[in-house]
Amino acid sequence: MAEINAMINALLADRSYFTTQQLHSMIEFVNELDEETLYQFKNSDDRTIMFAYEQLVFPDRRNRTDDHEMQLLNRPANTAIQNNRAFFERYNTSVPYGRGYGGNVYEDATKIKYDYAGKILSAVGGLATMGGGIAAAVAATTTSTVRAVLTATGGAASLAGGALVVLRNSLADSQMASNKRFIETVKKIVKARNKVNKFFEDTNNKVVKDPAKAATQLQAGLSSHPSRFTRGPNNTTVYQNLSAVEKLLQEDFVSQHYNIKSKLIIRNGDPWFIRLETLRSEPRELSQMDLEVLQNVASRL
């Protein structure tokens, strides 16, 4: 089997963290990302990625500069997120069950404050007598930032407020681990997309460099490929449609392209296929068989 086909099939077969439908939703999500966000998912750390991600999932949550505001207004909504908000909203920078308290899970300074506040609260028995415990804990510290943490969570006047102080960092670690599984899977999808793009770019360069050789190898590859002809009713020969491969190599790729974009498409449980878009031609849809044939031909150019 051709390398790209094997890579995509392995990606789709991975059920270690996500269901089939969730994985398909993530692929649709990646298909709609702009180049800047794709670059961030590929190269940035988790904190930076989650900041960019939250701009897509929660566009009204953060303060922005005028330039950033205009950029978001000009960016179309990600329909994959809109169609499955319950899934995509699981991944964020907020502390689970924090009811707005707890700060950013990636902020080390906040983690230190809550660790200190939790130790003070536990020392004065805050969980046993929450109202008095919070008050005693506030009185016990002279650190203004820790005092603010205790006062804010104690303002809820409930056991939940004090429990958040003690458990905040464990909850934050759990959210970060969940985010990491999501990020790692999205990175795999982005990597696969980039590899497919690179294949088409390299094939385009080879065809432009020697179109005569490309034409010769195309005909040889098509005529010898076992999928080209199959046996039909009454022992007839059935012609397999590989026109997408022929048009790509004989028409589209004879000129240089600098804006090749490919997307992995999964639709209504059908076998996956690749949609190839360039500014110089109509989008091409290549089946798994098309891709296998194309890779075999390209390997000989």
Side-chain angles (χ1 to χ4, degrees):
M1 182 180 291
E3 182 181 3
I4 287 177
N5 295 50
M7 174 189 66
I8 294 175
N9 287 332
L11 174 67
L12 295 174
D14 185 359
R15 298 292 179 273
S16 55
Y17 293 136
F18 301 101
T19 67
T20 298
Q21 185 55 53
Q22 289 170 344
L23 190 59
H24 291 180
S25 293
M26 294 165 76
I27 290 171
E28 292 172 5
F29 164 74
V30 169
N31 281 342
E32 298 184 64
L33 295 182
D34 57 29
E35 293 301 316
E36 178 183 342
T37 310
L38 283 168
Y39 180 87
Q40 288 177 322
F41 265 101
K42 179 183 177 183
N43 298 288
S44 300
D45 58 24
D46 288 5
R47 178 191 177 112
T48 303
I49 289 171
M50 288 308 300
F51 176 82
Y53 175 73
E54 283 193 326
Q55 306 309 305
L56 299 174
V57 182
F58 310 105
D60 299 323
R61 181 171 286 186
R62 296 180 182 274
N63 294 325
R64 314 180 190 96
T65 64
D66 290 341
D67 288 344
H68 194 189
E69 182 74 24
M70 290 303 298
Q71 179 184 359
L72 291 174
L73 287 173
N74 291 329
R75 175 186 289 168
N78 190 294
T79 56
I81 293 175
Q82 292 180 320
N83 293 337
N84 199 353
R85 294 202 68 88
F87 170 69
F88 286 102
E89 287 181 0
R90 296 178 193 176
Y91 309 101
N92 56 73
T93 63
S94 300
V95 177
Y97 316 111
R99 297 182 302 172
Y101 299 114
N104 189 311
V105 298
Y106 294 97
E107 183 58 60
D108 290 338
T110 302
K111 183 175 184 179
I112 293 171
K113 294 173 190 175
Y114 271 88
D115 181 58
Y116 186 20
K119 289 177 180 177
I120 294 174
L121 186 59
S122 297
V124 299
L127 291 181
T129 56
M130 186 47 54
I134 288 285
V138 171
T141 181
T142 58
T143 306
S144 60
T145 54
V146 175
R147 183 188 299 269
V149 166
L150 290 165
T151 302
T153 53
S158 67
L159 182 64
L164 174 62
V165 175
V166 176
L167 299 176
R168 183 271 177 192
N169 288 345
S170 294
L171 293 170
D173 288 345
S174 176
Q175 183 63 47
M176 291 170 66
S178 180
N179 291 347
K180 190 171 189 65
R181 290 192 291 269
F182 176 79
I183 291 170
E184 287 177 345
T185 302
V186 171
K187 283 190 172 185
K188 289 180 181 179
I189 298 170
V190 172
K191 182 178 180 180
R193 175 193 178 279
N194 290 342
K195 189 163 186 176
V196 174
N197 251 35
K198 181 68 163 51
F199 164 73
F200 284 120
E201 290 168 357
D202 289 346
T203 302
N204 182 201
N205 291 336
K206 291 177 180 178
V207 174
V208 169
K209 183 178 180 179
D210 195 340
K213 181 179 180 181
T216 299
Q217 291 299 327
L218 172 64
Q219 294 307 316
L222 292 178
S223 61
S224 63
H225 197 277
S227 296
R228 185 61 162 176
F229 302 100
T230 59
R231 307 306 293 179
N234 301 319
N235 205 34
T236 58
T237 299
V238 180
Y239 176 76
Q240 294 294 310
N241 182 11
L242 297 175
S243 59
V245 177
E246 296 171 271
K247 289 180 179 179
L248 188 67
L249 295 184
Q250 292 181 331
E251 299 176 14
D252 300 350
F253 278 6
V254 293
S255 58
Q256 190 71 57
H257 292 263
Y258 299 98
N259 43 26
I260 294 174
K261 295 181 180 179
S262 60
K263 296 179 180 180
L264 172 60
I265 305 297
I266 304 170
R267 189 167 52 202
N268 298 326
D270 295 334
W272 61 262
F273 63 91
I274 296 294
R275 176 175 293 139
L276 180 66
E277 299 176 359
T278 72
L279 294 181
R280 291 187 174 180
S281 65
E282 294 296 319
R284 302 284 186 205
E285 293 188 353
L286 294 101
S287 68
Q288 296 177 43
M289 183 179 70
D290 291 333
L291 265 180
E292 186 173 346
V293 172
L294 182 60
Q295 289 171 89
N296 288 337
V297 172
S299 67
R300 292 171 171 78
L301 297 182

